Amino acid sequence: MMRSRVRSARRLTALAAVAAAAVTVPLVAVDQAGAAPAAHHSAARHSAASGTRSAQAAGVTLPPAHAGFDYQIGGAYTPPAGVQVVSRDHDDPPAAGLYNICYVNAFQVQPGAEGDWDADLLLHDANGNVVYDQSWGEALLDVSTAAKRTRIAAKVGTWIDQCAAKGYQAIEPDNYDSYSRSKKLLTSAEAEAYIGLLSAHAHGQGLAIAQKNTVELAGDRTAAGLDFAIAEECGTYNECDGYTGAFGNHVIVIEYTAKGLTKACTGWGGQLSIVRRDRDVVPAGSPGYVRKTC
């Protein structure tokens, strides 16, 4: 389902490399019985076990399920009490002692950064014009061929390496659904083939990798090598069961409205990590900051 994607001003900066000590956080699998409809819960429990086995096979640690979560991609700040898992922009350091997820823009180009890429790796239409995500002014990367996917993955792989060096435990590659904005020049199969390269690279660095949104491809998560899901507004759009059916309890939910939070908490509050943030995901203390949980 198409929707407005949240993007912060902090994510419009160039990606930087900073090294820090690695942090090891044990895998915690939490199963909360009776919190969701029985059919959903049974499917989630089965998929959670399958997902855990897949992650163990890859030698990576999943974020603990149903854990306190904070979405800090708009700027790092001291995590609130009870938070165990944090997602932060690649530019920021991980939060000490927590499970940290590193955000990277993997399928599109930061505004104004087209020159950082070989021109042929930007998606062009039949008239030779670069294809943009009009909502955010980001050029789409051309993942239409194996050769281009390999070159793009090599560049993004350097960012993944930097996340690992900083001490992150997982990667959040954004814009998996960019094919849906490509004027039909890209396909979902090409997006899956490309993210499979990123998954292999992340696993090689000992990092788990998330499926960001794109519920329509959740059923292919095993083939794509994806370990857990980060779903924006799955409560609002009635999509949470699509993620739990594939990833079990290893789904992190971000809602941006009170209604969305209520829906997510009512259906999944006993199973999933759920937080409401303001749409600009600004740091605590900034005007407009919102953070609420179930």
Side-chain angles (χ1 to χ4, degrees), residues 17 90 152-164 201 205:
H90 179 279
I152 294 168
K155 185 177 181 71
V156 175
T158 65
W159 304 341
I160 293 174
D161 295 344
Q162 292 164 10
C163 291
H201 191 96
Q205 285 284 12

Side-chain angles (χ1 to χ4, degrees), residues 91-141:
D91 286 334
D92 287 324
L98 303 184
Y99 187 101
N100 288 270
I101 303 167
C102 190
Y103 171 95
V104 295
N105 192 357
F107 285 76
Q108 299 182 178
V109 178
Q110 297 294 86
E114 292 87 345
D116 294 342
W117 291 84
D118 291 340
D120 68 314
L121 295 183
L122 305 180
L123 184 65
H124 292 78
D125 63 19
N127 295 320
N129 298 315
V130 174
V131 178
Y132 281 86
D133 176 344
Q134 296 298 323
S135 296
W136 298 103
E138 296 179 352
L140 273 62
L141 292 168

Side-chain angles (χ1 to χ4, degrees), residues 16-212:
V18 179
V23 178
T24 301
V25 178
L27 172 65
V28 179
V30 178
D31 188 27
Q32 299 287 334
H40 290 166
H41 184 65
S42 176
R45 182 163 50 197
H46 174 77
S47 294
S50 176
T52 299
R53 287 194 297 269
S54 298
Q56 290 173 339
V60 302
T61 301
L62 294 176
H66 192 224
F69 173 72
D70 200 16
Y71 207 38
Q72 298 191 2
I73 57 175
Y77 54 90
T78 301
V83 169
Q84 297 172 261
V85 181
V86 172
S87 186
R88 287 180 169 178
D89 188 88
H90 179 279
D91 286 334
D92 287 324
L98 303 184
Y99 187 101
N100 288 270
I101 303 167
C102 190
Y103 171 95
V104 295
N105 192 357
F107 285 76
Q108 299 182 178
V109 178
Q110 297 294 86
E114 292 87 345
D116 294 342
W117 291 84
D118 291 340
D120 68 314
L121 295 183
L122 305 180
L123 184 65
H124 292 78
D125 63 19
N127 295 320
N129 298 315
V130 174
V131 178
Y132 281 86
D133 176 344
Q134 296 298 323
S135 296
W136 298 103
E138 296 179 352
L140 273 62
L141 292 168
D142 186 353
V143 298
S144 62
T145 70
K148 289 183 178 182
R149 289 193 290 270
T150 298
R151 289 165 59 200
I152 294 168
K155 185 177 181 71
V156 175
T158 65
W159 304 341
I160 293 174
D161 295 344
Q162 292 164 10
C163 291
K166 287 183 176 184
Y168 282 91
Q169 287 86 32
I171 300 295
E172 177 188 347
D174 202 8
N175 291 310
Y176 188 22
D177 61 347
S178 63
Y179 69 89
S180 67
R181 298 181 290 278
S182 71
K183 301 180 180 179
K184 299 184 178 181
L185 296 172
L186 301 174
T187 68
S188 60
E190 291 161 354
E192 290 181 325
Y194 167 55
I195 208 166
L197 298 178
L198 300 186
S199 298
H201 191 96
H203 290 159
Q205 285 284 12
L207 301 174
I209 184 168
Q211 173 168 324
K212 176 70 174 292

Side-chain angles (χ1 to χ4, degrees), residues 223-267:
L226 300 168
D227 303 307
F228 66 102
I230 297 177
E232 289 177 303
E233 301 190 289
C234 74
T236 297
Y237 291 96
N238 300 311
E239 294 174 344
C240 295
D241 57 349
Y243 292 104
T244 59
F247 293 93
N249 291 355
H250 289 287
V251 179
I252 294 171
V253 179
I254 305 103
E255 297 290 338
Y256 297 108
T257 66
K259 183 177 180 180
L261 180 66
T262 297
K263 288 180 67 176
C265 291
T266 298

